Amino acid sequence: MAIDYGSKRVGLAYADTALGVAVPIPAAVENSAEGRLEHVAREIKARKIDMLVVGYPLNMDGSAGDKAREVDEYISLVEQKFSLPVARADERLSSFQAESDMRFLSSKKSKSVYARKKYRKSGDIDSRAAAIFLQEYLDMRRIGGEEPL
C-alpha cells in the first residue's frame, strides 16, 4: 500500500501485485493526525498489507529538504505502529500529474477552481498521486528488480 503523507490529508493507494497495478483508495482526511493514522490502520488490516511504500518528497535537484525530514518522522511513526517494512518512493511531480489526470478525466465543470478545491479537500488528488508513485515503484521493481530509493 502506498502512502502520500500530508499534514491534513494522507493519500492512499493499493497494489494488486498479481496484476502489477496500483489503484487509488479513499484518502485519510480525518480532522486529527490520530484519526488519519487510524484510517491507515484500518486499510492495512482490511487489505492484509505486508509492505508500505511512502512517497518521499525530494527537491527537483534530488536533495532532501524540510518536507522530506517531516516524512522521515512519519515513516518512523508508521514503522513503530505497524511493524511493516517501509520503502521510500520518489514522489516528485506526482501531485501535479494527479491533478492533471483528474482534470483530463473529469467534465469541463471540474476544471473550475471550485472543483479543484473539492478534489483537494476530498483527498482524491492525494490518493491518485499515491497510485502514481506506487505504480512507478512496482514497474521499477518488475523491470530492474531493485528498490527505487
Side-chain angles (χ1 to χ4, degrees):
M1 186 171 85
I3 297 175
D4 183 19
Y5 171 76
S7 59
K8 294 183 180 177
R9 293 174 305 279
V10 177
L12 301 171
Y14 175 74
D16 181 326
T17 52
L19 296 174
V21 176
V23 294
I25 58 177
V29 294
E30 289 76 3
N31 290 328
S32 69
E34 184 177 302
R36 291 186 294 276
L37 199 55
E38 286 305 314
H39 181 119
V40 172
R42 286 190 302 274
E43 291 294 342
I44 288 171
K45 184 177 180 181
R47 296 173 187 280
K48 298 180 174 106
I49 301 299
D50 60 4
M51 180 181 181
L52 299 171
V53 177
V54 178
Y56 203 63
L58 295 171
N59 295 322
M60 292 308 288
D61 66 1
S63 64
D66 292 338
K67 188 65 175 174
R69 285 185 278 284
E70 187 179 332
V71 170
D72 284 331
E73 290 175 19
Y74 184 78
I75 289 172
S76 292
L77 175 68
V78 166
E79 286 174 327
Q80 290 173 358
K81 182 162 179 72
F82 303 122
S83 300
L84 291 173
V86 176
R88 288 169 175 79
D90 185 351
E91 70 167 20
R92 283 180 283 186
L93 300 177
S94 63
S95 293
F96 176 79
Q97 181 64 48
E99 191 167 348
S100 295
D101 290 352
M102 291 184 82
R103 266 193 252 136
F104 177 76
L105 296 172
S106 299
S107 68
K108 290 183 181 190
K109 182 179 178 185
S110 71
K111 292 180 182 180
S112 71
V113 172
Y114 169 77
R116 284 194 300 272
K117 287 180 181 177
K118 183 184 91 173
Y119 285 134
R120 282 245 176 254
K121 190 173 183 180
S122 71
D124 290 348
I125 291 174
D126 305 280
S127 288
R128 176 72 186 125
I132 289 169
F133 67 73
L134 180 57
Q135 188 64 57
E136 290 172 359
Y137 178 87
L138 294 170
D139 292 346
M140 287 181 73
R141 288 194 62 187
R142 187 182 69 237
I143 294 167
E146 58 189 58
E147 300 294 320
L149 283 179

